[in-house]
């Protein structure tokens, strides 16, 4: 047998402690107000449950009107926390609408006299808040947070359970003489409330922690100026790709791009314009390369790309496209006629035994030759080609090919 008063007391204390812990976590990390809202939600929920459990021992205005208004305010704070977690403000009306609906409903004699109608009104508002909270968590699902989906599942389960409660009071109405708050049903509700509050608090804290870890990881692996992978991340991803797919014998291209005379751009137009030039180039790269291609900023004005399944002919077309698109996109930057250019070195192979370091070295040598031949051009090395001696240069187009020996 479950002792109802004890369970109710446990539920109140658990919710209070969890609310305090959420507020403490917010005090340690105030990068978002989500934990502040969620902590207040738990404290309001604890207050509400304490007032409900005291039905009969305290005036009805406290155990009915105030208790259920606190319940709805608790769910409003839960929604506000989800919106704050996504960087969205919550309009003040969100906190007023549901409690006002409840207080206005309590002015209707039929509602005052019927516990079933009161349950329907309050539970319907709770389900609306839960649905909106689930939507807030779901709409940012692109952010890879592992705890997001268990949190959504638990909240949906709670919404389903509340909907079932509405159906039950409609199909089997309670009577005012039935002491629901001393019944085994209320004991089960108190027990599940304890489990629910602990689970949700854990998942909310876990989501916050995962986001912090994700941001630290992103800061360590993403170049903050261009949004591309930094040198460390690019080389790590490229090494991982080579270890997984390097023995398939498919065409593979490594491309190095270096903005021409970039120091002169900084000296003439200032570093702010130079940064914008780098951003323009990175944006152009994102639009030009395929989703499966790897791209990164190696440092300064040098960029690298790894393109699986790309042979020499296609690599040449992509490199020329990058050169031409960048010249067009950066012709004018922030009102300045910068007109920067880029030189590209390309190394291609189909050999299954090739090493990333060898391809990078070949592409780097090709880039050096592109610079030496006048810049604003593409140089290519086919690492599978036989030794052909000196490089052949195509004069009518800024593209030339190096043999393997030249690399």
């Amino acid at each position: 047998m479950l002792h109802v008063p004890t369970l109710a007391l446990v539920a109140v204390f658990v919710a209070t402690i969890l609310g305090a812990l959420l507020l403490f976590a917010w005090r340690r990390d105030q990068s978002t107000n989500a934990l502040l809202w969620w902590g207040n939600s738990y404290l309001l929920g604890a207050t509400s449950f304490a007032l409900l459990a005291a039905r009969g021992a305290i005036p009805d205005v406290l155990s009915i009107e105030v208790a259920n208004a606190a319940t709805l305010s608790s769910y409003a704070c839960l929604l506000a926390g989800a919106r704050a977690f996504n960087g969205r403000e919550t309009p003040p009306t969100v906190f007023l609408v549901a409690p006002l609906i409840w207080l206005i409903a309590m002015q209707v004699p039929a509602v005052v006299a019927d516990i079933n109608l009161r349950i329907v009104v309050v539970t319907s508002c709770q389900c609306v808040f839960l649905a909106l909270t689930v939507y807030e968590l779901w709409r940012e699902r692109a952010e890879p947070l592992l705890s997001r989906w268990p949190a959504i599942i638990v909240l949906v389960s709670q919404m389903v359970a509340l909907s079932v409660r509405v159906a039950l009071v409609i199909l089997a109405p309670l009577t005012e003489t039935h002491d629901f708050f001393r019944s085994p049903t209320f004991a089960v509700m108190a027990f599940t409330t304890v489990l629910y509050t602990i689970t949700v608090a854990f998942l909310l804290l876990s989501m916050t922690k995962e986001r912090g870890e994700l941001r630290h990881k992103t800061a360590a692996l993403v170049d903050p100026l261009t949004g591309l992978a930094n040198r460390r991340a690019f080389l790590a991803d490229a090494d991982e790709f080579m270890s997984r797919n390097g023995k398939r014998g498919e065409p593979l291209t490594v491309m190095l791009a270096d903005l021409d005379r970039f120091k002169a751009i900084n000296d003439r137009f200032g570093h702010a314009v130079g940064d914008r030039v780098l951003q323009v180039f990175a944006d152009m790269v994102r639009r030009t390369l395929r989703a499966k291609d790897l791209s990164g900023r190696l440092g300064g004005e040098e960029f690298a790309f790894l393109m699986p399944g790309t042979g020499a002919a296609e690599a040449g077309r992509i490199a020329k496209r990058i050169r031409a698109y960048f010249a067009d996109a950066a012709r004018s930057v922030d009102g300045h006629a910068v007109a920067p250019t880029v030189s590209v070195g390309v190394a291609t192979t189909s050999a299954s035994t090739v090493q990333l370091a060898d391809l990078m070295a070949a592409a780097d040598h090709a880039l050096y030759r592109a610079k030496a031949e006048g810049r604003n051009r593409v140089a290519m090395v086919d690492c599978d080609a036989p030794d052909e001696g000196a490089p052949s240069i195509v004069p009518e187009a800024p593209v030339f090919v190096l043999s393997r020996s030249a690399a």
Side-chain angles (χ1 to χ4, degrees):
M1 296 294 294
L2 297 174
H3 189 250
V4 178
T6 302
L7 279 174
L9 191 63
V10 169
V12 170
F13 273 97
V14 166
T16 301
I17 292 172
L18 291 174
L21 289 175
L22 288 168
L23 291 178
F24 177 73
W26 170 75
R27 288 287 297 173
R28 292 186 60 188
D29 179 12
Q30 298 187 22
S31 58
T32 174
N33 286 329
L35 292 174
L36 173 64
W37 287 115
W38 288 332
N40 287 326
S41 173
Y42 268 72
L43 295 179
L44 285 169
T47 302
S48 168
F49 202 82
L51 294 174
L52 287 172
R55 179 77 56 86
I58 60 175
D60 285 349
V61 67
L62 295 177
S63 63
I64 298 177
E65 282 95 327
V66 175
N68 286 296
T71 296
L72 296 178
S73 297
S74 170
Y75 278 79
C77 287
L78 182 69
L79 171 61
R83 290 180 61 84
F85 190 73
N86 293 337
R88 296 182 176 88
E89 296 288 337
T90 301
T93 52
V94 170
F95 303 97
L96 300 176
V97 171
L100 284 176
I101 290 174
W102 163 245
L103 294 176
I104 291 172
M106 286 300 293
Q107 305 307 308
V108 179
V111 175
V112 175
D114 190 348
I115 187 174
N116 301 287
L117 290 178
R118 297 200 298 267
I119 290 175
V120 169
V121 172
V122 174
T123 307
S124 298
C125 292
Q126 288 175 295
C127 288
V128 171
F129 277 126
L130 284 172
L132 292 174
T133 303
V134 168
Y135 173 70
E136 284 295 331
L137 296 179
W138 176 83
R139 72 190 298 182
E140 299 294 334
R141 61 194 179 280
E143 185 181 20
L145 301 180
L146 185 62
S147 299
R148 180 188 302 276
W149 297 107
I152 290 175
I153 291 171
V154 171
L155 293 175
V156 169
S157 300
Q158 173 72 354
M159 186 168 58
V160 170
L162 291 174
S163 301
V164 170
R165 184 171 74 174
V166 170
L168 288 177
V169 298
I170 293 175
L171 297 175
L174 300 173
T175 61
E176 289 293 337
T177 58
H178 176 67
D179 192 358
F180 174 74
F181 297 95
R182 298 292 182 273
S183 66
T185 302
F186 185 76
V188 173
M189 190 174 79
F191 181 71
T192 55
T193 298
V194 171
L195 297 181
Y196 168 78
T197 53
I198 293 174
T199 303
V200 172
F202 172 79
L203 292 172
L204 296 179
L205 281 170
S206 181
M207 280 199 308
T208 306
K209 181 181 178 182
E210 287 176 24
R211 170 173 284 178
E213 292 174 349
L214 180 64
R215 286 179 174 174
H216 285 122
K217 181 179 179 181
T218 300
L221 299 178
V222 175
D223 176 57
L225 179 63
T226 63
L228 299 178
N230 60 20
R231 182 186 188 92
R232 173 186 173 188
F234 173 80
L235 293 177
D237 291 342
D239 279 331
E240 182 182 359
F241 174 85
M242 296 294 290
S243 64
R244 287 188 289 106
N245 305 289
K247 296 183 179 181
R248 294 184 179 180
E250 296 179 347
L252 181 66
T253 291
V254 167
M255 192 179 297
L256 296 180
D258 190 89
L259 275 58
D260 298 324
R261 297 185 176 90
F262 187 71
K263 184 179 183 302
I265 294 175
N266 282 332
D267 293 341
R268 181 180 177 187
F269 300 102
H271 288 277
V273 174
D275 288 346
R276 282 292 300 133
V277 170
L278 293 172
Q279 291 171 339
V280 169
F281 182 78
D283 292 339
M284 182 275 305
V285 165
R286 276 188 286 266
R287 292 194 303 268
T288 304
L289 298 187
R290 303 161 301 184
K292 65 179 181 179
D293 296 333
L294 301 181
S295 60
R297 182 186 179 193
L298 298 185
E301 64 275 16
E302 188 173 9
F303 298 80
F305 319 116
L306 186 146
M307 294 175 285
T310 304
E314 184 179 2
R317 288 192 295 269
I318 294 174
K320 288 188 286 186
R321 196 180 306 141
I322 288 174
R323 188 188 61 80
Y325 285 1
F326 176 61
D328 182 65
R331 195 179 306 277
S332 176
V333 176
D334 291 346
H336 300 280
V338 182
T341 59
V342 62
S343 298
V344 183
V346 182
T348 62
T349 185
S350 295
S352 59
T353 58
V354 70
Q355 298 295 316
L356 176 64
D358 296 332
L359 279 174
M360 293 284 289
D364 186 64
H365 185 75
L367 176 62
Y368 173 80
R369 293 301 301 269
K371 292 281 191 180
E373 294 295 332
R375 298 181 174 84
N376 190 25
R377 59 190 62 220
V378 175
M380 298 183 61
V381 176
D382 186 351
C383 295
D384 301 331
D387 187 354
E388 297 175 355
S392 60
I393 301 175
V394 184
E396 64 273 11
V399 178
F400 58 93
V401 180
L402 305 177
S403 68
R404 183 172 55 183
S405 64

